[in-house]
Amino acid sequence: MIRRFALLCLLACPTPLSAGALPAGQKASVASVVRAVTPGVVNIATKRIESVEVPTVVDPVLQEFFEIPNTHLKRETTSAGSGVIVDAEAGLILTNEHVVRGASVIEATTKDGRRFRAQLVGRDKATDIAVLKIKADNLAAVPMGDSRTLEVGDFVLAVGNPFGLGQTVTSGIVSAIGRAGLGIEGYEDFIQTDASINPGNSGGALVTLDGRLVGLNTAILSKSGASHGIGFAIPIDMARRIMAQLVESGEVRRGHIGISIRSPSGNGAGAEIVTVEPASSAALAGLRKGDVITAVDGRAITTPAQLRAFLGASPAGSEIDVRFHRAGEAMQARLRIEASQKAARQ
């Protein structure tokens, strides 16, 4: 009888939880987010025609002396990357400019295996943003979030096509925001993350745990080419403004407000004005040398690089609200971004 009771207990009594375990059905998972996001991430395949120089004589001195010409061979190369569908109805895809640079053929493959020839709508090398378009039904777009609300420590997922393996999801946190001075792009305001990003992830999605697109994965800091936990993504706030110009006109028409800037003395936050061009929009709005810009259109400016990146993604002719400090006093001005042929000016 005792043995029968013990057997019944083994079958019917709940098994005690081991230390740290969750009750059945309460496992920690982001599977629902992954299911929602991954249909909006595509694999990008490109083909390029390269001209390869093949010397007929190894010694360049003899080649020059006898005036022997080089021969050139053309070869086709392929590469893989990632992209994010951001407008399902229009078939618009955001990706990195370097993913499609020089491509003669661009193809996008959706998660369900459909392959489409993609049209290049426009590209911007300075911000490494490109917009593609495909004609397809039943596409799924990843909703855009607000990268301005990101904080260090927020959990994020990276979705892309590393090493051409196919769709892959990695997880991590936002390690830093506003990274600049890396020499990767002309305008830098990167989100840094430790979510694994590898070759082929470029142009893929960086999303929050509520499934919102907050960045385009674009680069890693690595000596070996593999992920070392230091990856960078372009904030979707910048990508959205560049995309709007590319869709409208196929190019980015940058402007300037007529100032040069630097980091404030004493390691303070913001962008200190060093010079103001006469008759520029900044001068007409009353900005002066020594003013420290702290926000533009409600976006906090903590470094000069952030201001440069913001202005670099803003079209000429648009108007912006600028908040700044002058001798400790908070002030505000509204000014118009002017068309400029000088890319180096802000």
Side-chain angles (χ1 to χ4, degrees):
M1 189 68 163
I2 295 176
R3 294 178 60 185
R4 182 182 298 176
F5 177 77
L7 179 59
L8 289 173
C9 279
L10 285 173
L11 294 174
C13 296
T15 304
L17 293 174
S18 59
L22 292 172
Q26 296 186 28
K27 65 177 181 179
S29 175
V30 293
S32 60
V33 182
V34 172
R35 284 194 297 270
V37 169
T38 50
V41 180
V42 298
N43 295 344
I44 303 293
T46 64
K47 294 180 181 179
R48 298 174 174 83
I49 304 299
E50 295 182 348
S51 180
V52 183
E53 187 176 280
V54 183
T56 53
V57 178
V58 176
D59 190 333
V61 176
L62 292 178
Q63 185 174 351
E64 181 178 0
F65 181 80
F66 289 107
E67 297 183 350
I68 302 175
N70 289 331
T71 59
H72 290 80
L73 297 178
K74 291 188 179 297
R75 66 181 181 187
E76 183 178 84
T77 62
T78 61
S79 63
S82 307
V84 187
I85 301 171
V86 292
D87 187 329
E89 184 175 349
L92 295 180
I93 298 171
L94 270 175
T95 188
N96 284 143
E97 189 273 341
H98 75 261
V99 169
V100 298
R101 185 180 304 160
S104 56
V105 176
I106 306 172
E107 291 183 337
T109 303
T110 57
K111 184 185 178 183
D112 58 10
R114 292 182 294 162
R115 182 177 297 177
F116 303 96
R117 180 70 66 91
Q119 169 195 350
L120 179 63
V121 175
R123 62 189 183 92
D124 180 49
K125 186 176 181 180
T127 56
D128 201 13
I129 296 293
V131 180
L132 308 177
K133 182 181 178 67
I134 59 175
K135 294 181 179 180
D137 298 323
N138 302 317
L139 294 176
V142 181
M144 293 191 194
D146 188 350
S147 53
R148 296 173 298 170
T149 65
L150 282 178
E151 296 183 290
V152 174
D154 286 350
F155 286 99
V156 287
L157 304 175
V159 187
N161 178 33
F163 299 107
L165 292 172
Q167 210 171 75
T168 301
V169 181
T170 58
S171 65
I173 63 169
V174 173
S175 306
I177 55 178
R179 287 294 195 211
L182 304 175
I184 299 173
E185 297 168 9
Y187 296 94
E188 298 181 345
D189 185 22
F190 292 121
I191 302 165
Q192 181 182 326
T193 178
D194 66 349
S196 293
I197 297 174
N198 289 288
N201 270 111
S202 291
L206 188 73
V207 299
T208 51
L209 295 191
D210 61 354
R212 299 282 174 176
L213 180 67
V214 290
L216 286 183
N217 303 319
T218 189
I220 58 175
L221 192 62
S222 171
K223 294 182 178 180
S224 64
S227 174
H228 291 326
I230 304 178
F232 302 101
I234 301 168
I236 198 61
D237 183 53
M238 176 189 287
R240 181 192 285 113
R241 287 182 286 128
I242 292 296
M243 182 181 73
Q245 294 193 63
L246 293 176
V247 170
E248 181 180 355
S249 62
E251 62 180 354
V252 176
R253 297 170 180 170
R254 290 187 171 85
H256 75 115
I257 59 175
I259 61 173
S260 63
I261 53 178
R262 68 182 179 188
S263 297
S265 56
N267 297 321
E272 182 181 350
I273 297 176
V274 179
T275 60
V276 179
E277 296 179 11
S280 66
S281 60
L284 295 174
L287 294 178
R288 303 176 186 172
K289 176 181 177 180
D291 291 346
V292 177
I293 297 175
T294 57
V296 179
D297 279 355
R299 299 167 175 84
I301 299 297
T302 59
T303 66
Q306 285 182 323
L307 180 58
R308 292 189 187 100
F310 178 88
L311 295 175
S314 300
S318 59
E319 293 188 348
I320 56 175
D321 287 311
V322 176
R323 294 184 181 272
F324 58 97
H325 289 158
R326 176 180 296 165
E329 181 182 356
M331 305 182 72
Q332 185 175 353
R334 186 166 182 82
L335 49 85
R336 184 180 180 86
I337 297 179
E338 301 171 330
S340 174
Q341 300 299 319
K342 297 182 179 181
R345 288 198 302 184
Q346 301 304 320

